[in-house]
Amino acid sequence: MNWMQHRAGSVGLALALTLIVSAAARGADDPRITSWYTLDSSRLARLYRTPAKQAANQPETTWSNGRNTQAFPVRCGVQQISSSSNWVYVSSTGLPGQIMGPWEGGRFPNLPVDQHFIFAIPLHPVKQSGDAWNRLFEIGMFVDGVRMFDACDAFSYSHARGQDANPRAGIGQGDGIWRRDALVNEGQTFDAALAHQQNWGTYHYHVQPIALRYRLGDHVDFDPATQTYHESAGQPRHHSPILGWLQDGYPIYGPYGYANPTNPASGLRRMDSGFVPRDGRRVPDNLAATGRRQLPAWEAREEHRSAVLTDAETGPEVSDAYPVGHYLEDYAYLGDFGKTQGRDFDLDELNGRWCVTPEFPAGTYAYFTAIDARGNPVYPYNMGRRYYGKPVGCLMRGIFEPVTTNFVAAAEADTAATPKDAPRGSKLIWRDGGYQTR
Amino acid sequence: MSPPAPVLLALLAALAAAPAGAATLELQVRPTVAGEALQPASLRYQTTAGETFAITRVSWLACDFALQRADGTWLELGDTAAWFDAERGRDCVRLPVATTGEFRSLRFLAGLTPAVNHAGPDKFPAGHPLNPNLNGLHWSWQGGYIFLALEGLWRNAAGQLDGWAYHLARDTNAASVTLALPLVLTNETQVALDFDLGVVLRAPRPLSFAKDGSSTHSRDGDSVAAALVRNLAGAFSVRRVTPLTEGEIAAARPAPLYLPAKFTPYEFQIAANVPIPELPRDNPLTQERVALGRELFFDRAVSINDSQSCASCHAPEKAFSDSRQRSWGAEGGSGSRHSMRLLNLAWKREFFWDGRAPSLRAQVVQPIQNPIEMHQSLPALVEKLAGDPAYAPRFTAAFGSPEITAEKVALALENYLLTLTSFDSKFDRAMRGEGVLSAEEQRGFELFSTEYDPRRGQFGADCFHCHGGALFQSQGFANNGLDAESMDTGRADTTGRAADRGKFAVPSLRNVAVCGPYMHDGRLPTLEAVVEHYVSGVKRSETLDPNLAKHPDGGVPLSAADQRALVAFLRALTDPKVEQAGVK
């Protein structure tokens, strides 16, 4: 079923954030249904192709670079929310409310396009038992309907070639061992929101969604002069909101949680991830001294293998081209060095913890997006290399069971928001003996 | 305060010296085949594969002209762009050269640089080579220009006449051309180039319509486009270099006719993406003149027996057309063609279905006098209007004196007709982000703006070739296959050329849903019938448009659902203001 057809067929005007709740729907007050950010759902997705367009405040609602084409204006993010007794289905265009771009000064070859997918997440998440290996890459969806990708950029070191695989090298994806950190290696292609899109146009975040945090009021400022986002000064006054949902059905919050995981009155603090660079400063492990000859212990656990690498698996020596932090494997988990979660740091190796939150006063497992004291994203960004729960959530193209509709984006586009974006025509007026264009 | 004398003298000296160091290079390009001037629309050429073909259209853009100095460095000749078109006789561009001297090569880009290609179709003034309304080479909804449009007919293996259409476009397909050109440039010099279309289709990469396909629209990985780019580089040669003795005589700008001392300029509003039209300079748009023209348009006194006004056969709510297949004249007669719609005429050069009127002022007086239409002589009309006391002050306001003449009637009607514009529709609102098309309408638009090219996996309906651009029209005339042997010779009546037989003006598809019946003779009653014609009713003939001739027999294959989608899209082109007859 095409969700657009479904949407067109629905009757009634739903206001942003107003949910049409059926009494029969179970769990209709579940945050998995109510946390979605729909204030922009009736607005049109916009982007700046170039810095010049951005400087002139000339966003576009349709675009094409010959490779990615958005021939029709499309609305932002979440368009419909439906639920059954076990599942929540969120239809989204995948495009955010903030004006996207420009990327890499307008030179980045990909443009975002409408993904019109349905994200299905389990309404009753289940902790996964054992130490299952999880396939990552696309790991969840933020509450504005934008995709969440993991910390990798899909490329890794090729020992045989003695260099990283990358989109331009033409040597495949690499060995899969020394995997490139997306922020370090692709960060220059992120827009001000810290997002970009892959080659078929899926706009996504690898790291903290700073523009969404700003829209959600999560201790972020926006500077209209430079069109950039910054962590607010001073102490946060509120627990961070839910930023999104991972495929296992557990939430990811902004960086600020309760100081004591089980006490909402314990004050707020920025959640400290358990990962630090293997540079000899906070852990004795120092890649510059040892070379990249051993995996961190957490990685060996994930992969069910020995930490010691064969000669053909070693990574490049630490250098300006391959600094510590270049690869995910360049990080150590403090728990493997005698430090204790809850005392020395806040988050486990999955980048979450069991805690109470405003939405889950009885407690939940929750991930927290990781930033440093200056507000910069830090590894592992949104999630470690494994899910806490069974990752049964997925993208779907249709809904194949009876559902209750919880939200439908207002039928009419919010035209009030667009006229200033619409290109104006010109006037020809006879003046001073000729036609003047105005 | 005046500058001290020495500075002034130096300034004068500099001014005097400037022209002496500058020159003009006039580049004239002649389309040829195998060294001989192109014979358009003549089935006399052969591909390497032995296919007989004709060339009916050669239209292309160039920019980035540069001359190489004797020392090997390049002198860029500024941002002049050029448009060459065989049919329109556009064969020349004048390039200002900042310094005289000795040069050894000429370089230019056949195509446009990305910056120019995406500057926006509405950025170029009327008359500029890149104004889409002038060159007809802009793919509005896709963005960017066609760099080279090469079209024609060919005889396929079955001996049938088939069409071919090679449209080279997209930034990566601009072809750089460098020619040895020993030249001592002193003043004005004309360089005549030959553009050998035989080479474009043959060397070094031979193209066969049967083997390589009879159309390209330059999508990624298109081998025909790649061959064209490769071949273009070697298709130009220098024929002659001639010093010119006299500079170009600046075209005299016509002075406004009868412009009163006091007038209110009419603000001619055009929508974004719409090219700037060439409005007549001798008949400026003024509110007074437009108002008078409107008065005349709706005045029944214009017909011999006061029974009809222009609006009788050009009803505003029908996009200024008539729902009758053939309109009735003032005395009950009727002609052989359907009443034409009158919107967005400012972007047309030639009027009537056969284009016999070169201007609106020349056009408007014909139906007035035509015996089967209003059948009124111009002197009788002038006399009648003079007898109506209401008109004298209106003519005074519009033309500065109360005197009524047929010329002023025509100028006023021309003013009014030029202001009949329509840019709004559900489609436009969706494009502006103020609304959304239904899935069916979107599918229709996709079909509309996609080519039919099974070889490359494209299964569109090819509509945009003729009805492209922001106005969904082109200035051309085309045979759309209504008849194998047209009873109405159409455009050929005006041009006297056999190659124009059965061709009629390409109408705008804006408001097409309200202006039926369709075709020059109104033979098709509904949009469904129109789409069906292009699916199954196209008849082959020697003048069938190449973009239709390349389709299978009968037309472009579309499913019933796709046909409905096309119709749904066409219905989304209706301007609410037109539908409500608000245009008056």
Side-chain angles (χ1 to χ4, degrees):
Chain A
M1 186 191 74
N2 180 326
W3 65 263
M4 290 189 68
Q5 287 164 352
H6 186 107
R7 189 189 64 207
S10 66
V11 181
L13 187 77
L15 294 173
L17 273 184
T18 305
L19 302 180
I20 304 166
V21 179
S22 157
R26 282 187 55 200
D29 54 351
D30 190 297
R32 288 167 190 83
I33 296 174
T34 61
S35 65
W36 299 94
Y37 183 76
T38 55
L39 280 177
D40 291 326
S41 295
S42 294
R43 303 189 59 185
L44 295 169
R46 296 165 295 166
L47 62 70
Y48 296 119
R49 291 277 293 268
T50 62
K53 290 272 188 190
Q54 184 179 34
N57 188 24
Q58 289 176 331
E60 295 165 283
T61 56
T62 58
W63 52 81
S64 173
N65 59 2
R67 173 188 175 120
N68 305 112
T69 298
Q70 187 62 51
F72 291 88
V74 62
R75 299 201 271 178
C76 303
V78 177
Q79 297 298 304
Q80 182 164 346
I81 303 168
S82 315
S83 56
S84 67
S85 49
N86 291 317
W87 292 93
V88 182
Y89 300 97
V90 181
S91 304
S92 171
T93 63
L95 303 175
Q98 75 269 6
I99 302 177
M100 300 172 278
W103 296 270
E104 217 174 1
R107 297 182 307 278
F108 190 54
N110 307 330
L111 289 176
V113 292
D114 175 14
Q115 300 295 315
H116 51 84
F117 45 53
I118 299 170
F119 181 50
I121 51 171
L123 198 45
H124 311 293
V126 182
K127 184 181 190 311
Q128 65 178 346
S129 53
D131 48 3
W133 179 86
N134 292 150
R135 182 185 153 73
L136 303 181
F137 189 40
E138 297 193 28
I139 56 176
M141 193 150 92
F142 290 105
V143 294
D144 57 354
V146 171
R147 287 297 273 167
M148 186 192 311
F149 280 28
D150 73 0
C152 295
D153 77 345
F155 294 95
S156 56
Y157 185 67
S158 167
H159 185 89
R161 304 276 187 152
Q163 69 171 101
D164 278 354
N166 67 60
R168 293 178 187 87
I171 57 171
Q173 305 281 108
D175 301 339
I177 293 182
W178 295 94
R179 289 162 303 175
R180 304 205 311 169
D181 181 301
L183 175 66
V184 174
N185 292 281
E186 293 185 336
Q188 78 277 7
T189 70
F190 294 171
D191 64 7
L194 299 179
H196 66 171
Q197 49 283 335
Q198 34 73 310
N199 46 6
W200 59 87
T202 303
Y203 186 78
H204 61 267
Y205 290 99
H206 289 275
V207 301
Q208 65 144 331
I210 197 164
L212 172 62
R213 287 183 56 213
Y214 169 71
R215 292 170 109 66
L216 294 171
D218 187 24
H219 202 59
V220 170
D221 294 325
F222 178 66
D223 180 353
T226 58
Q227 306 256 324
T228 51
Y229 299 89
H230 309 279
E231 200 69 20
S232 302
Q235 289 303 306
R237 285 178 297 148
H238 306 285
H239 189 285
S240 281
I242 294 175
L243 299 184
W245 296 88
L246 282 93
Q247 297 194 163
D248 60 1
Y250 288 103
I252 177 165
Y253 281 84
Y256 305 105
Y258 297 129
N260 178 335
T262 54
N263 180 5
S266 61
L268 297 167
R269 77 162 180 242
R270 179 172 52 81
M271 294 292 101
D272 238 351
S273 110
F275 288 87
V276 297
R278 299 167 68 188
D279 60 5
R281 285 190 294 172
R282 292 186 62 191
V283 287
D285 195 354
N286 185 352
L287 293 176
T290 62
R292 288 186 171 101
R293 291 185 176 74
Q294 199 158 352
L295 292 176
W298 59 267
E299 174 67 357
R301 277 196 298 281
E302 296 304 326
E303 300 288 331
H304 307 293
R305 59 163 291 165
S306 157
V308 180
L309 296 171
T310 66
D311 283 351
E313 293 172 331
T314 56
E317 296 300 318
V318 173
S319 65
D320 287 349
Y322 299 97
V324 175
H326 190 83
Y327 300 111
L328 309 192
E329 292 81 358
D330 288 356
Y331 290 93
Y333 178 59
L334 289 171
D336 293 326
F337 288 85
K339 306 287 187 191
T340 307
Q341 183 191 358
R343 190 185 71 202
D344 302 311
F345 58 97
D346 293 303
L347 303 176
D348 62 20
E349 61 188 279
L350 314 181
N351 205 39
R353 65 176 187 176
W354 187 273
C355 58
V356 298
T357 69
E359 291 81 5
F360 293 95
T364 180
Y365 185 83
Y367 304 89
F368 289 82
T369 198
I371 60 172
D372 67 15
R374 293 186 305 282
N376 297 318
V378 290
Y379 188 82
Y381 311 114
N382 293 319
M383 189 185 90
R385 303 306 297 170
R386 192 157 49 87
Y387 295 95
Y388 178 81
K390 287 184 183 167
V392 291
C394 59
L395 289 189
M396 305 180 73
R397 286 282 158 186
I399 299 173
F400 306 100
E401 62 170 333
V403 290
T404 301
T405 301
N406 301 98
F407 166 80
V408 181
E412 291 303 316
D414 176 7
T415 52
T418 52
K420 77 173 166 50
D421 305 334
R424 287 205 319 274
S426 46
K427 279 180 181 164
L428 292 181
I429 301 166
W430 182 269
R431 186 168 293 152
D432 304 330
Y435 282 105
Q436 317 275 323
T437 309
R438 198 176 71 195
Chain B
M1 194 180 82
S2 60
V7 176
L8 190 65
L9 280 178
L11 203 64
L12 285 172
L15 281 173
T24 302
L25 187 66
E26 186 177 285
L27 209 58
Q28 194 202 33
V29 186
R30 176 180 77 150
T32 61
V33 177
E36 297 293 324
L38 170 72
Q39 299 288 327
S42 171
L43 276 163
R44 61 169 63 205
Y45 303 119
Q46 284 215 321
T47 62
T48 311
E51 297 149 342
T52 303
F53 71 97
I55 297 173
T56 58
R57 185 180 182 206
V58 186
S59 195
W60 60 288
L61 299 168
C63 72
D64 256 16
F65 295 91
L67 285 172
Q68 191 176 31
R69 299 186 188 91
D71 66 2
T73 60
W74 287 93
L75 173 67
E76 303 288 339
L77 303 187
D79 55 2
T80 306
W83 167 52
F84 301 95
D85 189 291
E87 195 185 4
R88 302 286 308 282
R90 298 271 305 209
D91 65 350
C92 159
V93 60
R94 290 174 62 81
L95 302 163
V97 184
T99 55
T100 54
E102 214 176 317
F103 298 97
R104 65 184 199 196
S105 325
L106 167 73
R107 182 181 71 190
F108 61 89
L109 198 64
L112 298 175
T113 58
V116 176
N117 194 25
H118 303 292
D122 48 355
K123 299 293 176 290
F124 302 100
H128 190 282
L130 296 182
N131 183 303
N133 199 49
L134 180 67
N135 62 37
L137 288 172
H138 195 267
W139 295 8
S140 281
W141 308 117
Q142 285 101 329
Y145 289 82
I146 299 172
F147 299 159
L148 167 67
L150 212 49
E151 296 175 11
L153 298 167
W154 65 292
R155 238 177 243 299
N156 62 24
Q160 272 179 334
L161 268 187
D162 213 328
W164 61 277
Y166 288 165
H167 293 171
L168 195 62
R170 303 188 45 182
D171 296 343
T172 48
N173 288 325
S176 186
V177 177
T178 306
L179 295 170
L181 179 65
L183 179 69
V184 181
L185 196 64
T186 52
N187 200 339
E188 278 212 31
T189 304
Q190 188 193 59
V191 173
L193 302 182
D194 278 356
F195 179 20
D196 195 319
L197 303 168
V199 173
V200 173
L201 298 175
R202 194 189 68 237
R205 294 173 62 174
L207 286 165
S208 150
F209 303 124
K211 198 157 80 20
D212 301 300
S214 55
S215 74
T216 176
H217 300 93
S218 306
R219 287 173 185 271
D220 269 343
D222 184 318
S223 60
V224 173
L228 289 173
V229 173
R230 179 68 189 83
N231 294 352
L232 266 175
F236 292 86
S237 58
V238 178
R239 184 170 81 251
R240 193 180 60 220
V241 178
T242 327
L244 295 179
T245 48
E246 282 183 28
E248 184 198 41
I249 299 162
R253 288 200 161 176
L257 294 167
Y258 318 114
L259 194 64
K262 198 168 142 257
F263 65 91
T264 323
Y266 178 91
E267 299 196 353
F268 187 80
Q269 176 76 51
I270 56 178
N273 295 322
V274 172
I276 295 170
E278 178 98 63
L279 295 175
R281 292 179 164 278
D282 56 351
N283 188 19
L285 293 185
T286 72
Q287 291 189 19
E288 295 81 4
R289 224 173 259 197
V290 171
L292 174 60
R294 183 194 297 120
E295 201 70 30
L296 291 165
F297 188 86
F298 289 96
D299 192 340
R300 287 166 189 262
V302 173
S303 59
I304 186 167
N305 50 12
D306 294 355
S307 66
Q308 283 194 329
S309 70
C310 305
S312 301
C313 303
H314 296 282
E317 71 275 15
K318 303 284 179 196
F320 292 88
S321 178
D322 192 341
S323 51
R324 294 188 192 92
Q325 183 179 0
R326 286 153 200 192
S327 301
W328 295 336
E331 296 170 330
S334 80
S336 57
R337 293 177 186 164
H338 181 231
S339 162
M340 294 187 86
R341 53 207 89 153
L342 304 182
L343 289 164
N344 297 339
L345 296 177
W347 288 267
K348 283 277 187 183
R349 279 188 294 270
E350 292 149 309
F351 304 90
F352 290 116
W353 282 109
D354 52 17
R356 66 184 181 272
S359 66
L360 280 170
R361 75 190 69 161
Q363 184 276 328
V364 291
V365 294
Q366 292 199 33
I368 295 175
Q369 302 171 87
N370 191 326
I372 55 168
E373 298 188 50
M374 293 149 122
H375 200 191
Q376 171 119 288
S377 75
L378 293 179
L381 171 64
V382 169
E383 195 177 332
K384 214 193 268 187
L385 295 177
D388 183 342
Y391 271 112
R394 291 174 189 276
F395 273 83
T396 304
F399 295 106
S401 79
E403 187 202 1
I404 298 174
T405 64
E407 184 192 19
K408 289 179 185 172
V409 168
L411 291 173
L413 280 168
E414 178 176 76
N415 243 257
Y416 171 63
L417 290 173
L418 287 169
T419 66
L420 301 179
T421 57
S422 168
F423 315 112
D424 188 27
S425 70
K426 185 178 181 189
F427 170 79
D428 297 276
R429 291 175 189 196
M431 292 302 281
R432 285 200 303 269
E434 296 166 13
V436 182
L437 290 183
S438 73
E440 191 177 41
E441 290 161 344
Q442 287 194 32
R443 172 64 183 152
F445 177 56
E446 186 181 22
L447 290 163
F448 185 92
S449 50
T450 306
E451 62 272 22
Y452 176 77
D453 191 355
R455 199 180 289 256
R456 299 189 175 81
Q458 300 300 322
F459 295 93
D462 272 322
C463 314
F464 66 100
H465 297 288
C466 290
H467 301 284
L471 298 168
F472 294 92
Q473 69 181 21
S474 55
Q475 305 231 36
F477 297 82
N479 177 344
N480 64 346
L482 289 171
D483 301 292
E485 186 77 44
S486 184
M487 298 289 285
D488 188 337
T489 48
R491 178 69 176 154
D493 287 346
T494 306
T495 64
R497 293 193 307 189
D500 285 332
R501 204 167 289 152
K503 291 186 180 176
F504 296 91
V506 175
S508 170
L509 298 189
R510 287 193 172 273
N511 305 296
V512 70
V514 302
C515 67
Y518 304 99
M519 304 300 152
H520 67 277
D521 53 6
R523 71 172 71 182
L524 301 176
T526 60
L527 287 177
E528 285 78 3
V530 171
V531 171
E532 185 62 48
H533 164 71
Y534 289 108
V535 171
S536 65
V538 175
K539 315 275 195 311
R540 290 192 188 281
S541 67
E542 293 213 354
T543 60
L544 178 62
D545 193 84
N547 289 301
L548 298 175
K550 68 179 188 171
H551 291 158
D553 280 345
V556 60
L558 294 179
S559 70
D562 279 350
Q563 292 189 43
R564 285 194 298 274
L566 258 185
V567 171
F569 168 68
L570 292 174
R571 290 193 197 287
L573 296 178
T574 301
D575 188 337
K577 152 184 104 164
V578 169
E579 207 169 20
Q580 295 149 20
V583 193
K584 277 196 175 168

